[in-house]
Structures are given as structure tokens and as C-alpha cells.
Amino acid sequence: MAFSVLRPMSSSELSASSSRESSSRPAVPAPQSRCSPWLTPIVYWLGQYLVLPSYFGPIAITGQEKLPTHGPVILAPTHRARWDSIVLPLAAGRPGTGRDLRYMVTDDEVKGLQGWFIRRLGGFPVNVRRPTVASLRHGIELLLNQEMLVIYPEGGIRREDRIHPLKPGLARLAVQAEAAQADLNVQILPVDIHYGDPYPPWRCPVQIHIGDPLAVRDYLQGRTAPEALKTEAQQITADLQARLEAMVADRPQANPI
């Protein structure tokens, strides 16, 4: 199934894109991003009732009550396997919140049949080699439109069961969105995705734990000056790192769904 190989753009790639494009800022249309009203529910149903139960063992979810059912949200999950983008919607997507997830995806993943699926399941491409302002702006626009965005803050897949230094791109995007609209109230939620094996085999157990949110407006407190945004983005990154490390160190026991 094409959805199973979707790889959202990591925070490190977002950071690199933002810095490389700042000088040129080409005026190009924003990339289209939408969730197909007929395909999205089908894929969510297949994932929830066929793909995940057939492959994995017990899947335990905790902290689901912390997920906002409305308003702008950035999910910041650990990235341990290609499966992450499939198991995450089970906890945070339609089955758990009634919301569709929006993924920032590297453009080389959005090709052919796989690209056709990704574009209709809320994903949008970003060219990390020749980035455009429009593609990054689209992430901000999604937050302004009260959507739920997914960015992996560690960067690429990390098989070790520890939190690697987080990249700054996620926090930068969050503060830019918050500064663009007063009282937007962007929420950043850390998510710990843990498999029973670094390379999840058949019948492997999975734990998904959603942590307490970080409210971006509490950091900015109405400030929009570039230096303030930079300073608070750094603080958000540090606090998010601490939250994820604490979640990994003290994983709660949960009943499988």
C-alpha cells in the first residue's frame, strides 16, 4: 500500500530548506495540500482494521486525551521506523481525534503512484535541494487554518532508544505561525513511538505515548520581533527535547487497544 512508505519531511530538512531559500524567495504558487473526502477515510479504515492488526502485536496508546480536537497543532513524534507514519494516525488521526494529519514530505517521495496517494492524504512536497518559500509558507498556512501538522524533530530515522538532539525547524515554523496571527495558540505535542524491536518484525508490540503540549503563545507573549522569535524558538526546542527525554525515560504501562 502506497501510504505505508510515506516519509514526512524532518525538522532538519525543514531547517536547511528555510536557510537556503531566505535569499531568493521566489514567488511561486503554494503547493496543493488536501485530504480526499473519499480516499482518506478508506485508507484510515484499512490501516486501523487491516494493516496494523495484521502486522503488529498489541498496540498501546496513552495520553490520547491530550490531543486537541480543534485548533492548530504540530505533532512532534520520535522517528524509529518507516512504520511511524502509519501507526501515528491510529492515535492522533481520525480514529482518535476525528482529524486528518498533514505531512510535510520530501519531494522525491511524492512521485508516481505513491505521490498520487500522498497528495490526496494531506501530504505536500518540499524540495530540500531547491526549496521554495511557498512550500514552507504552506506549512504556516495549514496552522493558520487550524490543521494538525506532523514534523519529526530528530530528523531521520533513529534506531537507538534515546532522543537525539532536536533540529530547530519545527520550533521556527511554530513561532512564525504564532507571530502571524494574534492568539493563534499553536500547540506542540511530543509523541513517543516505541517498538518492541529496533527493526519491527511481525507481531511486534508498539507503544504510542502522547505528552503534555507546549503552547507557543506562552513563549512569545505577543512579541513578534525577529530576535524574540529566534530566542523563543531555541527555548521551545530545548523544552521539547526535555519533554521527549522524560517520556522515553519513564514510559507508562498501557492496555492495548
Side-chain angles (χ1 to χ4, degrees):
M1 184 171 62
F3 186 54
S4 66
V5 293
L6 180 152
R7 185 174 75 85
M9 188 181 184
S10 69
S11 186
S12 59
E13 293 164 330
L14 171 61
S15 303
S17 297
S18 179
S19 60
R20 285 198 298 267
E21 71 176 357
S22 58
S23 59
S24 56
R25 297 193 179 276
V28 297
Q32 288 187 348
S33 173
R34 67 187 183 93
C35 293
S36 167
W38 65 269
L39 181 62
T40 302
I42 291 175
V43 171
Y44 272 104
W45 188 92
L46 289 173
Q48 181 179 7
Y49 295 107
L50 181 62
V51 177
L52 294 177
S54 298
Y55 188 83
F56 287 104
I59 300 177
I61 301 173
T62 54
Q64 203 168 24
E65 71 282 355
K66 300 172 184 176
L67 288 165
T69 56
H70 62 278
V73 175
I74 300 178
L75 297 179
T78 54
H79 202 7
R80 300 294 173 260
R82 298 278 286 191
W83 283 103
D84 293 344
S85 298
I86 310 304
V87 302
L88 183 60
L90 183 64
R94 287 193 178 201
T97 65
R99 305 182 68 174
D100 295 325
L101 305 184
R102 300 302 190 98
Y103 292 90
M104 188 176 289
V105 187
T106 54
D107 70 328
D108 54 358
E109 301 279 344
V110 191
K111 296 180 179 178
L113 181 61
Q114 174 174 291
W116 187 91
F117 275 92
I118 289 174
R119 289 180 181 276
R120 286 158 180 79
L121 294 171
F124 63 96
V126 176
N127 187 329
V128 297
R129 290 171 294 275
R130 294 181 179 178
T132 65
V133 158
S135 58
L136 299 183
R137 185 182 295 132
H138 188 61
I140 296 175
E141 290 172 348
L142 289 173
L143 295 175
L144 294 175
N145 288 326
Q146 313 291 303
E147 299 283 0
M148 186 178 283
L149 187 62
V150 179
I151 301 175
Y152 292 106
E154 292 176 282
I157 292 175
R158 309 288 187 174
R159 302 291 180 179
E160 305 90 351
D161 190 23
R162 63 182 178 86
I163 302 300
H164 291 251
L166 304 189
K167 311 303 180 182
L170 183 153
R172 290 176 181 172
L173 186 69
V175 298
Q176 288 171 10
E178 190 70 38
Q181 180 176 313
D183 294 323
L184 180 62
N185 196 21
V186 176
Q187 303 284 314
I188 302 174
L189 277 82
V191 182
D192 176 34
I193 303 176
H194 177 66
Y195 302 92
D197 188 279
Y199 295 87
W202 183 64
R203 308 314 296 164
C204 176
V206 185
Q207 274 191 318
I208 306 169
H209 179 51
I210 297 135
D212 294 325
L214 298 172
V216 178
R217 70 179 177 187
D218 291 346
Y219 290 85
L220 298 188
Q221 297 182 349
R223 293 172 295 172
T224 59
E227 192 60 35
L229 298 185
K230 179 180 179 180
T231 299
E232 296 309 323
Q234 292 171 344
Q235 187 60 54
I236 289 172
T237 300
D239 290 350
L240 181 59
Q241 174 103 24
R243 292 274 180 96
L244 285 168
E245 288 175 348
M247 291 166 65
V248 169
D250 187 23
R251 287 194 178 96
Q253 296 297 316
N255 295 322
I257 62 171

